[in-house]
Amino acid sequence: MSATHKFDVGNASATGPAAKAAGPGARAWWVLGALCFVYVLNFLDRQLISILAKPIQDELQITDGQLGRITGLYFALFYTLIALPVGWFADRTNRVKVLAFACFLWSAATVACGLSRTFPQLVAARMAVGVGEAGGVPPSYAIISDYFPSGTRGRALGLYNMGPPIGMALGVAFGASIAAAYSWRDAFVSVGVVGIIAALVVFFFVREPKRGGLDVKQGAASAPVETAPAAGFWSTCRMFFTRPTLILIALASGATQFVTYAVVNFTTLFLMREKGMTLSEVALYYALLVGIFVSAGMYVSGRLVDWLGKRSKAAYAYVPAVALLLAVPFFFGFVWAPGWPLAMIFLAVPTFFNYFYLSPAVALVQEEVEPHQRVLSGALLLLVMNLIGLGFGPTYLGMASDFFRDAHPDNSLQLAFYTLIPFYFLAVALFLFLARAIRREAGKV
């Protein structure tokens, strides 16, 4: 098909069935790239404090438990709770402008992190980062869903969800390199300035798409979805929490994130303090591992659910469940390995499989709700899974390390990492319950 026949969401006239069948055009891919870059900055800012944990701990004299709370609970409370009113507001207004303002806010707060001189100041700056980032992902999910038709959203959201691994990799590579050459403060300030520039680019150059312009009614493949009224806040919340598939995908993803956020927030510190890595080695080898294997996991899982989901929607549950089971023995090997080279070899496999949940979770929620409920539903998904995973995963692991510190001062983080293995099996069980719920709903249609 020639490029001239592809659908361009920026063209208001291209909203008919033929446009939908043609698939996304050049503007859709450009917007996806711009939103992905913002997501890269979102996650880079979020993870930078974990990547630079060792020099921050050395200067500010904070414990593993304090580090866990500042990267977990303190951040997550603001990030998840603010996301709800932001999602409701974005569903009723211009989602692009909401995203641009949020990017500006969290980037300015990242600069403030670099200027912090005490632990309370750093806590306050991190909370401000959480407030800003609350307006980043939910509007982006909905914007992408209105640029890409059903059947291509898994791939598009899979590409978008490569933002976290790219952000993590760039954070490790550039953040650690800047910190090694200058200071950890310079890393925060540099990244924050880039984010402020990106916010201005989004504000002036990304167009707001028509809500539901690429959706069709059930049983009428050629009939576009009619424009719906603005979503009610409480009606959307009731819909989300009374749908078994939606609440189960949120809980299963939260259990998975309990592991993934705990691991990613402490891996750099673990590798440096107990496996013998230097900051320069982290900047090279760990950055490559994260960038390659998490990105591959995000993309492969998105393609898998697009392919297998055509046969059975239960694939949205089975794909992450199988991936997590495959990750467990290699995660054990990573924690056990006596030195960092062997640990990195083992870590590559769970780094690939641990993120098979995200693209299926986002795609399933976006497919299951009405177009005018997508931003708020995405925010509710993030509320549940981030409050559980981001809020309690790093907090738990930091407290566990402090608990083991007195009796095992040389390997307290290793023992704490071992205690994450049961949470893998909890996540698998929840995904299997989700598969059963999906089959039951399909049987009622």
Side-chain angles (χ1 to χ4, degrees):
M1 179 176 292
S2 66
T4 57
H5 292 292
K6 288 186 176 180
F7 174 64
D8 187 338
V9 176
N11 183 352
S13 64
T15 57
K20 177 184 180 301
R27 180 176 297 277
W29 292 109
W30 184 90
V31 169
L32 178 62
L35 298 188
C36 186
F37 181 71
V38 172
Y39 200 12
V40 167
L41 295 175
N42 179 305
F43 216 84
L44 197 163
D45 292 2
R46 187 186 312 178
Q47 295 301 127
L48 197 56
I49 195 168
S50 302
I51 294 163
L52 302 177
K54 187 65 167 61
I56 292 172
Q57 276 192 326
D58 292 342
E59 181 172 337
L60 300 184
Q61 297 298 303
I62 62 178
T63 66
D64 288 353
Q66 289 175 314
L67 180 65
R69 290 192 294 276
I70 197 173
T71 60
L73 186 61
Y74 296 158
F75 176 89
L77 283 176
F78 282 82
Y79 176 69
T80 56
L81 295 178
I82 296 297
L84 290 181
V86 169
W88 174 82
F89 180 73
D91 265 330
R92 306 171 70 88
T93 57
N94 189 298
R95 297 163 293 183
V96 171
K97 286 184 171 60
V98 170
L99 173 62
F101 177 78
C103 182
F104 182 90
L105 178 59
W106 84 61
S107 300
T110 299
V111 174
C113 287
L115 301 177
S116 300
R117 296 295 172 182
T118 64
F119 178 68
Q121 289 177 355
L122 188 59
V123 169
R126 286 294 294 173
M127 289 178 174
V129 172
V131 171
E133 291 192 2
V137 180
S140 297
Y141 286 160
I143 293 168
I144 292 169
S145 295
D146 283 334
Y147 269 98
F148 290 82
S150 179
T152 66
R153 287 173 185 153
R155 179 175 54 162
L157 290 167
L159 289 170
Y160 173 73
N161 284 327
M162 290 173 68
I166 296 172
M168 289 165 58
L170 291 178
V172 174
F174 292 105
S177 297
I178 293 171
Y182 302 99
S183 92
W184 63 268
R185 299 182 184 278
D186 294 324
F188 279 94
V189 173
S190 301
V191 171
V193 170
V194 173
I196 291 172
I197 296 171
L200 297 175
V201 171
V202 170
F203 185 87
F204 288 108
F205 296 102
V206 174
R207 296 183 186 178
E208 173 77 1
K210 179 181 177 182
R211 282 177 171 82
L214 299 181
D215 292 282
V216 295
K217 296 178 180 179
Q218 292 291 336
S222 62
V225 171
E226 297 176 1
T227 301
F233 182 86
W234 293 114
S235 61
T236 301
C237 290
R238 284 193 299 271
M239 177 278 300
F240 189 94
F241 288 109
T242 56
R243 288 279 302 278
T245 54
L246 297 180
I247 190 59
L248 279 171
I249 190 64
L251 291 173
S253 298
T256 307
Q257 281 196 346
F258 189 96
V259 176
T260 60
Y261 270 116
V263 171
V264 77
N265 281 15
F266 278 92
T267 290
T268 301
L269 184 61
F270 182 45
L271 290 170
M272 292 181 67
R273 197 167 74 192
E274 298 186 16
K275 302 293 186 184
M277 272 187 114
T278 66
L279 197 57
S280 297
E281 289 168 337
V282 167
L284 175 60
Y285 299 111
Y286 184 51
L288 286 173
L289 184 146
V290 168
I292 293 171
F293 288 95
V294 180
S295 298
M298 296 283 194
Y299 183 73
V300 170
S301 61
R303 294 302 298 267
L304 276 176
V305 295
D306 272 347
W307 176 48
L308 297 174
K310 294 175 182 177
R311 305 178 183 181
S312 170
K313 195 169 283 188
Y316 288 89
Y318 286 129
V319 166
V322 172
L324 290 172
L325 283 175
L326 293 173
V328 171
F330 295 93
F331 177 77
F332 181 90
F334 157 66
V335 180
W336 162 84
W340 71 262
L342 182 59
M344 293 285 284
I345 294 172
F346 278 117
L347 181 59
V349 178
T351 300
F352 175 71
F353 284 123
N354 278 357
Y355 294 89
F356 267 48
Y357 76 96
L358 188 54
S359 295
V362 174
L364 180 62
V365 170
Q366 296 295 304
E367 292 279 353
E368 290 293 299
V369 304
E370 297 294 330
H372 60 289
Q373 296 177 317
R374 281 182 175 145
V375 180
L376 183 53
S377 295
L380 290 168
L381 172 68
L382 294 177
L383 168 69
V384 176
M385 68 183 191
N386 284 329
L387 192 58
I388 295 171
L390 177 58
F392 296 108
T395 304
Y396 163 81
L397 193 64
M399 292 174 62
S401 179
D402 282 352
F403 174 80
F404 292 121
R405 177 64 62 85
D406 289 339
H408 304 275
D410 296 329
N411 67 330
S412 62
L413 265 177
Q414 181 187 46
L415 296 175
F417 268 82
Y418 277 130
T419 66
L420 291 175
I421 292 176
F423 293 98
Y424 268 104
F425 295 106
L426 174 61
V428 170
L430 288 169
F431 277 116
L432 294 179
F433 283 125
L434 171 63
R436 185 172 64 177
I438 291 173
R439 292 196 304 270
R440 283 180 175 176
E441 282 199 4
K444 295 177 182 178
V445 177

